Amino acid sequence: MSYCSVILRGAVKQTDVLYTYRIPESLEGKVTPGCLCNVPFGKGNRLKTALVTEITEENTSKYAVKDVAGMVSDLPVVTEDQLAIIDKIASRYNCTRGEAAELMIPSCVETHKNQSVTFVEIADKEAAVSVLESGSLRSAAHINILEYLLENGPSDRKEVLYGCRASAGQLKAVIDKGLVRSYKTRAEDSEVTSDFAFEDAPDKGFTEEHDLNDEQKLAVKTIMEGDKSVYLLYGITGSGKTEVYLNCARKVLESGGSVLYMVPEISLTPQSINWIRGRLGDSVAVLHSRLTDNQRYVQWDRIRRGIARIVVAPRSGVFAPVQNLKLIVIDEEHDSSYRSETHPRYSAKEIARMRSINTGAKIILGSATPAVESFYAAKNDVYELVELKTRARKQARLPETVPVDMKEQIKLGSGEMLSLPLRQAISVALSQRKQTMLFLNRRGYSRTLVCNDCGTAATCVNCSVAMTLHNNKRNGTQNLVCHYCGYTIPADTATCTGCGGIHFTRAGFGTQQLEELIKKLYPNEKVLRMDQDTTMSPKAYREIIDKFAAGEASFLIGTQMIAKGHDFPNVTVVGILGADLMLASSSYRASERAFQLITQAAGRAGRADCPGKVFVQSYRPDLPLFRYALTQDYEAFYNAEIEYREKLQLPPFKAIGEMILSDENEEDLAVKAGELKTYLKEFLSYQDEKYGFELYGPMPDVIYELRGRYRMDFVIKAINKSALNAIYKKVISDFDYTKYQISFNNDPEN
Ligand code: ADP
Ligand code: ZN
């Protein structure tokens, strides 16, 4: 008789234990670690989905054991190396095991019943085309269905209905007319035809294989032959990092291993998918947010069966059931999209590391502007540093960069948005039918005040980060609060740390105003605008990018998202507006983000063989940060930054964590925050000094009111993340979570 231990899918706190079930004879051999099954649960024996973690010969449970009811999926849904990290994830991100397992099991596994799907296709192409042309079809739905199928070929019935907004009856009508037929097929067989993931799109650049230059060869050799597990591939923009990833990937595939190739979601365009496929062959699977459930299932199923041996995916793909994982590439490793912003707030880089420890897979972190923590790890021999110092294509040149002093420009009458040199460059570009990109980064700054005289944000005297503006409801005044140490001053008493000025305003302008100005100045030109990075759908985002790439507009205006990884060969002018406002964010990462953004944005200009010009408009063009960014001097930036981080004991020197306490009632919140503070102070007072605990707060969260709840923060620093976690665990066990709503966040991003 055998038994199995299971984790309930989506378990809540009370049910987050390993349950034991007996394996009935009929399922003997089928129930294996990593597979999903149905189990009867609780008094009513309601069936729940559960993930099997272990098979034992003995019944270790002291309770009466029930039988496993059935299988949800015949094959395991997670690999052994994934099973092995579930506990680690639960403890690292303070979630239940069930939530950790949930990250690994795509919802399509359960909804995808039995591998059989209904497909529809055009029965007679000529007839369909002539019916469409004759205009005899009255129903828009009928027309849509025919057009859809003519365009996409045989398709999943559900997708057709959804894509055409048609009803089952309407589809049946065109089937009855003999124009369309339907048939059943197995999901695996449908892959080629239903695979929207690989849309036709022109290839750019990478289809062509290059002989590696000496630097690239050395990089590949170092990575493949080295004995470290993490390699930081630090190479300037255009140095050919992609070619290094591909060569390493090919070598790993040849020796029988599999590869996980991670990219920021936003750069996973049809083009990039196409060329990766072109270069690495049919064993590529792609996961991204635009897939339908069925497409996702098909991709995922190929991965777990080991048919797909190279998986290209954004953050969530780090949980793909890759078999025999031997290499994990993380391109643009500094990108913030590798951290999840919802519970469990995992970091794909950390998960990759956990998986690599169990599988022996190597990790390549690639970037032109590595995260400060990554570079620090490489400098200290925790990672191996691999450098590419020259541009791979001889013709490619660095764009010319021009710092612009907006104080002067405003005196000259330019207004606060577009400086005169930038306008001139735009006119030249327009006359040559070239394109312009304008970046305006508003992130966070609207919540602070900037000095009227020099543009510096109101800054915390302890932490050198911008302070956040909060309304003081009781007397109608405003306070400035430092989000790290809680330092608070009345807004009208702020003194500028840059020039000593005492006049502050909520300066700045938005992308909309900028668009209006551009339209007024250049009435004959088309302008595309992209903003709201968090709310825009990937599809809408892509449409704008595609239009701009196709030359349908002369201007693209946007926030940081337009800076990411796109090649626009026809762009010769890039304007970065309000550059110093990037520093006015309340995060200690503000400089790092600004540096990455400016370097990346500058990389957009003149990627093709015509040189570009980059204008960085700010009130403080003399700030060292801008100089480093404009000369693309990462190391100078890093040296200055690491000094600041050390001085203030910020990551990588200490871990920083945040506890957010929220409540519907403001007064209750204040009381509870007081209780939590007393508790934390007392608890921390008898911890060993070696853990380096520091406690700040309570202070209002950067977003004090969110969806009807008020939020107060505590910030805790400690020697490492485990020490922080120990405190979270203590708080979780000592505070009744039905009364105290507390969320935890390691290394918060603001
Ligand atoms: P990065 O990712 O480092 O910014 P890319 O991988 O995008 O750089 O490469 C930049 C350009 O250089 C691409 O167009 C690529 O095709 C080209 N390239 C890469 N390696 C070579 C090489 N060895 N010889 C010639 N061109 C190369
Ligand atoms: Zn402070």
Side-chain angles (χ1 to χ4, degrees):
M1 196 58 65
S2 23
Y3 299 84
C4 61
S5 307
V6 304
I7 296 172
L8 294 184
R9 183 162 187 187
V12 292
K13 241 174 132 184
Q14 298 92 325
T15 56
D16 194 42
V17 286
L18 292 178
Y19 290 96
T20 306
Y21 283 87
R22 200 174 67 99
I23 303 173
E25 240 164 67
S26 57
L27 296 178
E28 198 81 49
K30 277 194 172 171
V31 179
T32 52
C35 73
L36 265 193
C37 56
N38 281 319
V39 295
F41 188 78
K43 283 204 189 97
N45 281 331
R46 265 188 5 143
L47 282 191
K48 290 207 173 233
T49 315
L51 177 69
V52 177
T53 57
E54 204 185 352
I55 310 289
T56 50
E57 292 309 314
E58 264 163 60
N59 177 8
T60 49
S61 168
K62 40 185 193 293
Y63 303 104
V65 210
K66 299 172 190 171
D67 278 6
V68 174
M71 307 298 293
V72 174
S73 149
D74 287 343
L75 284 172
V77 296
V78 299
T79 61
E80 275 179 38
D81 84 281
Q82 288 180 290
L83 273 184
I85 61 172
I86 288 182
D87 282 353
K88 261 195 217 169
I89 293 174
S91 118
R92 178 79 182 78
Y93 303 110
N94 296 297
C95 63
T96 63
R97 289 193 195 91
E99 284 167 335
E102 198 70 9
L103 292 169
M104 301 177 181
I105 308 168
S107 58
C108 57
V109 178
E110 260 182 289
T111 51
H112 188 89
K113 284 287 173 295
N114 217 3
Q115 271 75 0
S116 168
V117 285
T118 305
F119 260 58
V120 289
E121 65 179 11
I122 295 283
D124 178 344
K125 191 171 172 196
E126 263 172 48
V129 172
S130 76
V131 167
L132 279 177
E133 280 173 355
S134 72
S136 63
L137 283 180
R138 286 283 153 75
S139 154
H142 295 177
I143 297 171
N144 284 346
I145 293 171
L146 292 186
E147 285 182 343
Y148 184 97
L149 291 175
L150 283 170
E151 201 178 311
N152 296 298
S155 307
D156 185 328
R157 179 173 174 275
K158 276 200 225 112
E159 273 152 26
V160 176
L161 294 180
Y162 178 76
C164 301
R165 279 176 214 90
S167 69
Q170 288 164 326
L171 178 60
K172 184 165 180 298
V174 283
I175 293 176
D176 290 345
K177 281 184 211 279
L179 295 167
V180 170
R181 68 169 156 248
S182 85
Y183 57 96
K184 285 207 183 297
T185 182
R186 281 160 51 81
E188 292 97 295
D189 304 335
S190 68
E191 186 231 329
V192 180
T193 43
S194 80
D195 206 348
F196 290 34
F198 307 111
E199 297 157 59
D200 282 332
D203 279 328
K204 281 190 207 137
F206 292 102
T207 15
E208 191 189 335
E209 200 165 336
H210 298 285
D211 289 331
L212 296 188
N213 60 35
D214 291 346
E215 262 187 350
Q216 288 169 319
K217 275 188 203 145
L218 182 63
V220 172
K221 191 170 145 59
T222 312
I223 294 166
M224 297 311 295
E225 292 172 14
D227 48 18
K228 278 256 168 27
S229 41
V230 185
Y231 296 80
L232 179 63
L233 181 61
Y234 158 53
I236 59 165
T237 329
S239 57
K241 292 186 285 296
T242 315
E243 214 65 37
V244 173
Y245 305 144
L246 292 179
N247 271 270
C248 293
R250 168 115 27 78
K251 287 203 158 70
V252 168
L253 291 176
E254 278 165 9
S255 63
S258 299
V259 180
L260 181 55
Y261 189 137
M262 307 207 41
V263 293
E265 167 92 43
I266 253 158
S267 50
L268 205 49
T269 59
Q271 289 93 322
S272 65
I273 293 168
N274 249 8
W275 67 249
I276 293 179
R277 229 191 186 192
R279 288 290 294 279
L280 294 168
D282 288 337
S283 67
V284 176
V286 181
L287 298 168
H288 57 73
S289 66
R290 303 186 299 278
L291 296 176
T292 62
D293 262 6
N294 191 49
Q295 291 166 341
R296 190 183 315 282
Y297 182 81
V298 169
Q299 297 296 322
W300 176 85
D301 193 47
R302 292 173 67 228
I303 299 167
R304 79 162 160 170
R305 287 171 194 273
I307 300 168
R309 287 176 47 220
I310 169 152
V311 178
V312 183
R315 176 179 71 222
S316 60
V318 77
F319 295 108
V322 182
Q323 308 289 325
N324 195 19
L325 183 60
K326 288 295 168 227
L327 177 67
I328 305 175
V329 172
I330 303 184
D331 189 22
E332 307 288 350
E333 68 92 29
H334 61 273
D335 197 282
S336 57
S337 74
Y338 288 123
R339 295 152 176 276
S340 167
E341 290 189 349
T342 53
H343 177 77
R345 293 170 181 261
Y346 69 89
S347 141
K349 275 197 271 181
E350 282 174 5
I351 304 286
R353 188 76 191 100
M354 294 178 194
R355 291 192 75 175
S356 90
I357 290 171
N358 288 335
T359 55
K362 288 191 169 175
I363 298 180
I364 309 178
L365 304 174
S367 177
T369 53
V372 169
E373 287 94 326
S374 301
F375 206 69
Y376 182 76
K379 284 267 178 194
N380 288 282
D381 216 29
V382 179
Y383 301 165
E384 172 104 35
L385 184 63
V386 182
E387 276 188 73
L388 297 178
K389 293 182 175 161
T390 49
R391 289 205 158 191
R393 274 185 311 175
K394 295 280 168 301
Q395 321 88 302
R397 273 186 278 164
L398 271 178
E400 184 189 334
T401 49
V402 188
V404 182
D405 186 340
M406 287 313 286
K407 283 193 303 278
E408 267 169 32
Q409 290 295 314
I410 291 172
K411 278 187 209 140
L412 294 173
S414 73
E416 61 171 338
M417 291 192 248
L418 280 186
S419 65
L420 302 175
L422 179 53
R423 290 183 195 204
Q424 266 163 15
I426 289 173
S427 302
V428 173
L430 288 175
S431 72
Q432 300 169 339
R433 306 302 320 145
K434 298 289 182 195
Q435 292 170 295
T436 298
M437 286 172 93
L438 299 174
F439 293 86
L440 182 60
N441 198 310
R442 284 183 60 109
R443 197 171 176 176
Y445 90 83
S446 53
R447 298 197 207 103
T448 189
L449 293 178
V450 290
C451 170
N452 286 354
D453 299 321
C454 76
T456 305
T459 303
C460 173
V461 289
N462 306 317
C463 308
S464 312
V465 298
M467 300 170 84
T468 317
L469 203 56
H470 288 272
N471 290 324
N472 193 339
K473 275 201 198 139
R474 250 163 277 142
N475 53 17
T477 59
Q478 292 186 313
N479 284 338
L480 285 163
V481 182
C482 167
H483 187 58
Y484 288 104
C485 71
Y487 177 67
T488 304
I489 52 170
D492 53 14
T493 62
T495 307
C496 178
T497 50
C499 69
I502 50 164
H503 301 290
F504 284 83
T505 37
R506 284 171 97 137
F509 49 92
T511 45
Q512 222 162 336
Q513 285 150 284
L514 181 60
E515 181 180 12
E516 278 158 27
L517 177 67
I518 296 282
K519 284 187 168 154
K520 207 172 96 204
L521 292 174
Y522 312 100
N524 300 324
E525 304 296 333
K526 276 199 108 167
V527 183
L528 290 167
R529 176 164 66 89
M530 174 139 65
D531 39 26
Q532 295 291 326
D533 22 325
T534 45
T535 55
M536 214 161 119
S537 77
K539 186 162 171 266
Y541 168 82
R542 247 200 36 228
E543 273 169 18
I544 295 182
I545 294 289
D546 288 348
K547 273 192 188 159
F548 191 62
E552 284 178 35
S554 308
F555 292 92
L556 176 59
I557 299 177
T559 51
Q560 67 261 30
M561 61 192 314
I562 63 174
K564 289 185 183 169
H566 301 283
D567 239 335
F568 300 112
N570 210 31
V571 170
T572 54
V573 177
V574 169
I576 299 170
L577 316 186
D580 28 17
L581 293 178
M582 287 187 244
L583 302 177
S585 127
S586 60
S587 165
Y588 74 88
R589 291 173 186 275
S591 307
E592 180 175 1
R593 295 256 175 275
F595 179 84
Q596 287 163 348
L597 186 74
I598 296 173
T599 341
Q600 239 171 14
R604 299 303 111 212
R607 292 275 286 190
D609 305 323
C610 45
K613 260 192 178 183
V614 180
F615 297 83
V616 178
Q617 297 186 171
S618 77
Y619 290 84
R620 293 171 295 168
D622 51 329
L623 277 190
L625 179 81
F626 294 140
R627 200 168 61 241
Y628 306 147
L630 286 173
T631 50
Q632 311 231 344
D633 190 346
Y634 175 80
E635 282 177 70
F637 154 75
Y638 170 82
N639 289 334
E641 183 66 17
I642 203 78
E643 200 178 299
Y644 155 73
R645 301 270 183 102
E646 181 161 28
K647 197 166 115 210
L648 291 167
Q649 291 291 293
L650 289 162
F653 297 96
K654 265 191 181 179
I656 184 160
E658 178 183 65
M659 246 180 238
I660 306 171
L661 180 68
S662 71
D663 206 291
E664 285 161 7
N665 182 307
E666 236 180 323
E667 272 128 48
D668 289 352
L669 178 64
V671 174
K672 289 176 184 175
E675 288 166 15
L676 186 54
K677 175 164 185 159
T678 312
Y679 171 91
L680 285 170
K681 264 178 98 169
E682 134 99 11
F683 176 64
L684 293 179
S685 68
Y686 52 81
Q687 299 306 313
D688 196 309
E689 247 174 55
K690 71 177 179 206
Y691 296 119
F693 287 121
E694 293 172 51
L695 175 70
Y696 302 93
M699 57 199 127
D701 186 83
V702 175
I703 305 166
Y704 178 57
E705 277 183 72
L706 184 69
R707 287 183 229 112
R709 302 185 69 87
Y710 298 93
R711 296 144 45 99
M712 294 290 268
D713 296 352
F714 290 88
V715 169
I716 304 175
K717 286 189 199 168
I719 193 69
N720 57 30
K721 291 178 184 169
S722 326
L724 287 177
N725 264 326
I727 301 192
Y728 299 160
K729 287 216 167 63
K730 187 81 181 118
V731 171
I732 288 171
S733 75
D734 287 358
F735 282 79
D736 178 354
Y737 67 97
T738 57
K739 295 208 189 81
Y740 297 81
Q741 284 224 4
I742 305 174
S743 67
F744 305 92
N745 193 2
N746 272 340
D747 207 354
E749 295 276 327
N750 297 311

